[in-house]
Amino acid sequence: MATACTLVVSFPRHKKHPSNPDPISVTVNNERFFANHPLLQLLDQCSKTTHLKQIHARMLRIGLFSDPFSASKLIQASALSELSSLHYAHKVFDQISQPNLYSWNALIRSYASSKEPIKSLLMFLQMLYQSDELPNKFTYPFVIKASAELLALRVGEGLHGMVLKSEVGSDLFVLNSLIHFYAQCGCLDLAHRVFLSMPKRDVVSWNSMIVGFAQGGYADQALELFHGMEEENLRPNDVTMIGVLSACGMKMDLQFGRWVHSYIKRKGIKGNLILNNAILDMYVKCGSVADAKRFFDKMEDKDVVSWTTMLVGYARMGDFNAARTLFGEMPYQDIAAWNALISAYEQNGNPKEALATFNELQLSKEVKPDSVTLVSALSACAQLGAMDLGGWIHVYIEKQGIKFTCHLTTALIDMYSKCGDLQKALEVFNSVESKDVFVWSSMIAGLGMHGRGRDAINLFLKMQETKVKPNAVTLTNLLSACSHSGLVDDGRKFFNQMEPVFGIVPGVKQYACLVDILGRAGHLDEAVDLVENMPIPPGASVWGALLGACRLHGNLDLAERACDQLLELEPQNHGAYVLLSNIYAKSGKWDKVSELRKLMRNSGLKKEPGSSSVEVNGIVHEFLIGDNSHPLSKKIYLKLDEMIARLRSSGYVPNKSQLLQLIEEEEEQDQALYLHSEKLALAFGLISKSPSQPIRIVKNLRICDDCHTVAKKISKLYNREILLRDRYRFHHFKAGECSCMDFW
DNA sequence: ATAGGGTTAG
């Protein structure tokens, strides 16, 4: 303790105008302290930055700014007010010769919840190294929050260490912020460990943990914790319930959701807009638009989130009209509302409408597309094979200087791959610096679907040199790449490595891939053995893969067995009927084929109509079987006749094994084949695209044997490159050959 | 002498 203490008290010498009083100060050991000056009280009432600046000026004039306490008040006001002129606050801060801990904390806090949380950490470091101040119990929650925003696991762990060594190691606020931090970084086990280690927990501790579990996708754990909270007689609040509702939505458990809703009412938990929106969202996620609508109509306050949530509800039910209407009724449409509509179309099998809406958005000029919009639009392009538009979006992203987030990169790679331009996909992949597991996985998928299995494997190996860990999707894509290229040994090897090397338990999807790999290569016994000894029940995809193998290798008994199993799991799977009937047709069992058709008709199943699309000058033209709705239909059929004639003279004989029904007349059989949508698309491509451009066709189903042969021959006879994407993969037709090596 | 943590749609 200082023993020699000089104390000087100075009073104002004379009364001045009351709004401009002289400061009252106390000097201790040559350091001057000012009493709470009336000017400082004005700071709280500032409503404009100009007010702030005026007070700042006055403070400088009367020397109040040199008082650290007063300066810290100014920092606080400029950094944390609604106006939040953080930049200004920082400049003011830099003028303070010896900022006190309070000023540091105010700025660190403000940066933590700003758009640049990294600056919070930089300020923190600056404080550690360039000042004498040490962090206190207020500092830690801010910097930990900044680390959470940045998902900076290492930084947060370091802070955790500092906390443990300091005196604030058991501060409730600090520990709560650590729970939130670990949960945000996806380390729920670490978050939970902090939670359990706490000597005391308050409602925020529970909320952080519950919300953490809910957002991390662990609905059960979140709900379990909610019950645990009840057992401890701790009163849940609105934030708790928001977390619980989010978990309900994930579980899609309407019963329980309704119970939670009534619980909120029963316990008198004070409602607010966010909570109400969460209730609405829960009903939508649980699939009850009726409950959602009832609640929505009763809501007094509604914001864009409420409207958008309701819109999504309609869209999920496939009620696009209601969604559209609601969109029009909203007080205003922000970009999120547009995004909801666009992605609703895109994710519910209506990519064309998604692009039409995207177009509408651009014409409206009210709001600008953001990266979410572009991801949805790119995905719609990918589905349609609309590469002109996809490429345009790519340019748009570059021109607008929009950041290539991993999400966007993934969407671009996927779009280019699925539109058939693998080279462009690789260019995008190679040009970006940040690659997360999805970026890598999409590139592996791209190589795989184009039959470049060896390259896909090499990329996977390269991925392992980075810190990015493969996930289940990566492995599925890798295995499917092996399957498309017939790489049996590699496929088997990677499958066996899954659990021991990559720590991923093989799921139904990966089993299906391996069955496909083995089956395609003709190892039917091994495939059957695998299916029979699976530790998990074989899903429809596994039986489907086996059935596909039977189609290739013509094993009737096994095909019937697989088909039975498949239909038991998915009675509506028309693909199963089609595959089996292909197998019957191949072995000439036309009676069985018609029997199957009868069965299909009786169970109200229709074969999904085949359709093929070609993009010309940014417009996607779609063709159905025997389609003559196209304006150039006459020309297309003339071209088709010419194609067939040229093919015939070069020795082509139609392959009818994949007709779905027995057509008696030979000529009619041929006609049915000629009318296949991919042939119409091909004819249209030939007349409307210049010879230097490849013809890109997207087919919704698998390409049939005959169309495959025709495309090969056409590529040679007309010297054209043809890129056809079917349901499973790409076929590059060039000079009479196909990249799939006739193996698909 | 001043202060802090957890929250919904896409």
Side-chain angles (χ1 to χ4, degrees):
Chain A
M1 223 22 240
T3 42
C5 163
T6 50
L7 196 142
V8 182
V9 181
S10 50
F11 294 99
R13 274 168 314 229
H14 52 86
K15 273 244 177 273
K16 275 196 178 173
H17 191 271
S19 72
N20 186 18
D22 275 345
I24 303 165
S25 64
V26 178
T27 307
V28 181
N29 290 342
N30 293 326
E31 199 176 332
R32 230 172 143 206
F33 293 95
F34 289 79
N36 205 343
H37 194 276
L39 254 184
L40 301 182
Q41 281 150 31
L42 275 180
L43 278 172
D44 300 330
Q45 297 158 30
C46 278
S47 58
K48 284 186 190 160
T49 27
T50 48
H51 293 163
L52 219 61
K53 288 179 181 171
Q54 279 169 11
I55 295 173
H56 184 194
R58 179 134 294 171
M59 285 174 71
L60 284 168
R61 276 244 299 275
I62 62 178
L64 197 59
F65 187 69
S66 60
D67 168 42
F69 174 74
S70 304
S72 69
K73 277 304 218 184
L74 179 64
I75 295 291
Q76 143 109 336
S78 42
L80 296 170
S81 71
E82 308 265 304
L83 340 155
S84 191
S85 43
L86 195 44
H87 178 68
Y88 183 69
H90 201 148
K91 284 213 294 203
V92 175
F93 180 88
D94 285 340
Q95 298 301 312
I96 307 173
S97 52
Q98 291 250 295
N100 61 11
L101 183 56
Y102 187 87
S103 298
W104 282 105
N105 283 350
L107 220 53
I108 290 171
R109 174 190 175 194
S110 191
Y111 273 127
S113 37
S114 75
K115 274 178 281 175
E116 304 164 295
I118 186 75
K119 291 199 173 165
S120 177
L121 299 181
L122 292 174
M123 288 296 290
F124 178 71
L125 290 178
Q126 205 185 332
M127 181 180 101
L128 287 185
Y129 293 111
Q130 293 172 17
S131 83
D132 296 329
E133 303 290 350
L134 287 173
N136 66 0
K137 62 175 182 170
F138 293 106
T139 323
Y140 285 112
F142 307 146
V143 272
I144 292 169
K145 183 182 178 159
S147 317
E149 294 288 321
L150 293 164
L151 301 178
L153 184 57
R154 284 292 145 79
V155 177
E157 281 175 333
L159 291 168
H160 191 178
M162 288 175 75
V163 164
L164 292 179
K165 279 192 229 162
S166 73
E167 296 111 47
V168 301
S170 53
D171 183 84
L172 191 59
F173 285 78
V174 173
L175 291 172
N176 284 348
S177 68
L178 278 168
I179 296 178
H180 173 242
F181 161 75
Y182 281 121
Q184 194 85 349
C185 290
C187 305
L188 286 155
D189 43 343
L190 291 176
H192 200 221
R193 205 183 295 172
V194 174
F195 178 79
L196 291 176
S197 75
M198 291 168 77
K200 255 193 174 166
R201 291 180 273 269
D202 69 354
V203 68
V204 177
S205 325
W206 287 87
N207 288 351
S208 303
M209 205 58 241
I210 290 174
V211 170
F213 274 134
Q215 291 187 339
Y218 301 91
D220 289 321
Q221 280 87 337
L223 297 178
E224 202 177 300
L225 225 56
F226 169 60
H227 293 307
M229 194 172 171
E230 286 217 285
E231 276 166 30
E232 300 220 346
N233 282 323
L234 205 68
R235 222 180 113 75
N237 63 12
D238 51 336
V239 180
T240 323
M241 299 323 292
I242 290 166
V244 170
L245 286 163
S246 145
C248 283
M250 270 170 11
K251 291 193 56 103
M252 299 192 279
D253 184 344
L254 183 60
Q255 288 285 97
F256 186 63
R258 282 186 179 143
W259 179 85
V260 173
H261 186 183
S262 74
Y263 177 97
I264 293 168
K265 286 194 273 193
R266 206 169 58 238
K267 297 273 169 173
I269 290 168
K270 212 166 152 270
N272 56 41
L273 185 56
I274 298 182
L275 179 58
N276 285 338
N277 284 342
I279 294 171
L280 191 64
D281 179 57
M282 176 277 292
Y283 279 130
V284 165
K285 294 232 169 82
C286 290
S288 176
V289 187
D291 280 89
K293 184 67 169 54
R294 213 173 304 132
F295 187 74
F296 180 78
D297 287 340
K298 274 196 290 191
M299 277 171 72
E300 285 177 18
D301 272 347
K302 293 186 184 92
D303 66 356
V304 207
V305 177
S306 333
W307 286 89
T308 309
T309 308
M310 198 60 234
L311 190 161
V312 170
Y314 283 127
R316 289 231 180 124
M317 297 302 290
D319 193 345
F320 294 123
N321 286 333
R324 261 275 165 197
T325 310
L326 210 66
F327 181 77
E329 285 172 354
M330 294 174 70
Y332 68 97
Q333 294 90 4
D334 68 351
I335 189 60
W338 282 96
N339 290 347
L341 195 59
I342 294 172
S343 76
Y345 284 129
E346 176 260 307
Q347 285 174 16
N348 292 286
N350 206 341
K352 266 191 213 158
E353 205 53 46
L355 291 184
T357 311
F358 177 63
N359 205 23
E360 220 180 297
L361 161 66
Q362 285 171 292
L363 293 173
S364 86
K365 305 219 157 127
E366 306 250 314
V367 277
K368 265 178 135 185
D370 65 5
S371 66
V372 177
T373 327
L374 300 173
V375 168
S376 287
L378 284 169
S379 163
C381 291
Q383 288 177 53
L384 287 167
M387 198 168 73
D388 289 350
L389 182 55
W392 182 88
I393 293 174
H394 188 184
V395 174
Y396 178 88
I397 295 167
E398 282 172 342
K399 272 197 180 159
Q400 297 283 318
I402 295 168
K403 212 178 145 232
F404 278 85
T405 60
C406 288
H407 229 96
L408 258 182
T409 309
T410 306
L412 272 172
I413 292 173
D414 188 57
M415 182 277 293
Y416 278 125
S417 302
K418 288 189 177 152
C419 288
D421 199 334
L422 190 60
Q423 206 44 48
K424 271 267 199 240
L426 284 164
E427 275 170 31
V428 172
F429 179 80
N430 290 322
S431 68
V432 294
E433 278 177 29
S434 62
K435 299 181 176 85
D436 68 358
V437 62
F438 296 100
V439 174
W440 283 97
S441 304
S442 67
M443 197 63 249
I444 290 171
L447 289 165
M449 72 177 87
H450 285 272
R452 294 190 25 192
R454 194 45 69 194
D455 293 328
I457 290 175
N458 286 335
L459 197 69
F460 179 73
L461 298 176
K462 216 169 135 194
M463 176 182 177
Q464 279 165 268
E465 291 166 16
T466 70
K467 279 183 206 154
V468 186
K469 276 193 191 144
N471 63 16
V473 175
T474 324
L475 263 297
T476 309
N477 294 349
L478 179 69
L479 291 171
S480 119
C482 292
S483 137
H484 288 317
S485 298
L487 301 169
V488 185
D489 294 336
D490 296 277
R492 210 190 270 119
K493 183 185 80 190
F494 286 123
F495 183 88
N496 290 328
Q497 284 182 347
M498 276 187 71
E499 211 173 337
V501 181
F502 305 111
I504 305 162
V505 182
V508 174
K509 275 187 185 162
Q510 287 86 26
Y511 272 99
C513 280
L514 187 57
V515 169
D516 192 60
I517 292 171
L518 296 170
R520 266 172 210 283
H523 304 296
L524 283 176
D525 292 340
E526 195 183 337
V528 170
D529 196 51
L530 183 71
V531 175
E532 281 172 351
N533 293 303
M534 276 173 66
I536 46 174
S541 51
V542 175
W543 294 114
L546 204 56
L547 188 58
C550 295
R551 189 191 71 105
L552 268 177
H553 301 285
N555 186 328
L556 259 179
D557 289 345
L558 189 57
E560 283 173 343
R561 229 177 85 203
C563 193
D564 280 349
Q565 296 285 348
L566 181 49
L567 288 174
E568 203 165 294
L569 292 168
E570 285 182 356
Q572 302 295 309
N573 190 324
H574 35 68
Y577 286 102
V578 175
L579 270 178
L580 187 60
S581 99
N582 284 164
I583 299 168
Y584 284 140
K586 207 170 184 175
S587 46
K589 303 204 172 199
W590 292 102
D591 50 330
K592 288 276 189 188
V593 173
S594 53
E595 212 174 282
L596 260 186
R597 274 193 69 83
K598 213 178 283 167
L599 204 67
M600 268 179 94
R601 213 169 323 149
N602 290 344
S603 52
L605 273 180
K606 266 192 182 160
K607 177 183 176 289
E608 187 182 342
S611 88
S612 301
S613 351
V614 188
E615 188 188 47
V616 176
N617 298 327
I619 297 163
V620 177
H621 302 257
E622 191 185 16
F623 296 90
L624 300 173
I625 188 160
D627 203 331
N628 49 21
S629 62
H630 196 276
L632 295 178
S633 199
K634 266 198 176 148
K635 275 189 158 179
I636 294 169
Y637 280 96
L638 279 175
K639 190 72 181 177
L640 190 59
D641 287 343
E642 175 208 305
M643 283 157 58
I644 301 295
R646 276 183 75 172
L647 286 167
R648 288 210 175 232
S649 62
S650 73
Y652 152 78
V653 182
N655 174 346
K656 291 156 205 162
S657 69
Q658 285 180 33
L659 283 174
L660 257 187
Q661 54 193 329
L662 178 61
I663 300 173
E664 299 291 345
E665 293 296 321
E666 181 111 352
E667 200 157 309
E668 282 178 32
Q669 285 186 6
D670 293 355
Q671 276 306 316
L673 276 178
Y674 298 154
L675 298 177
H676 274 181
S677 62
E678 47 269 61
K679 295 198 182 80
L680 295 174
L682 188 51
F684 177 64
L686 281 173
I687 54 178
S688 52
K689 290 218 147 192
S690 78
S692 61
Q693 290 176 299
I695 299 168
R696 301 173 196 276
I697 300 172
V698 174
K699 169 140 207 227
N700 64 336
L701 306 172
R702 251 183 214 213
I703 185 172
C704 85
D705 284 327
D706 185 60
C707 287
H708 195 263
T709 312
V710 167
K712 279 202 294 191
K713 290 189 177 290
I714 293 284
S715 73
K716 190 172 181 188
L717 284 172
Y718 288 78
N719 191 25
R720 295 288 282 248
E721 201 180 334
I722 301 160
L723 288 159
L724 189 143
R725 174 180 117 201
D726 75 3
R727 196 169 201 140
Y728 294 97
R729 62 166 297 149
F730 258 98
H731 303 267
H732 289 216
F733 302 99
K734 204 176 171 181
E737 299 293 328
C738 180
S739 61
C740 76
M741 319 282 275
D742 301 336
F743 194 70
W744 77 91

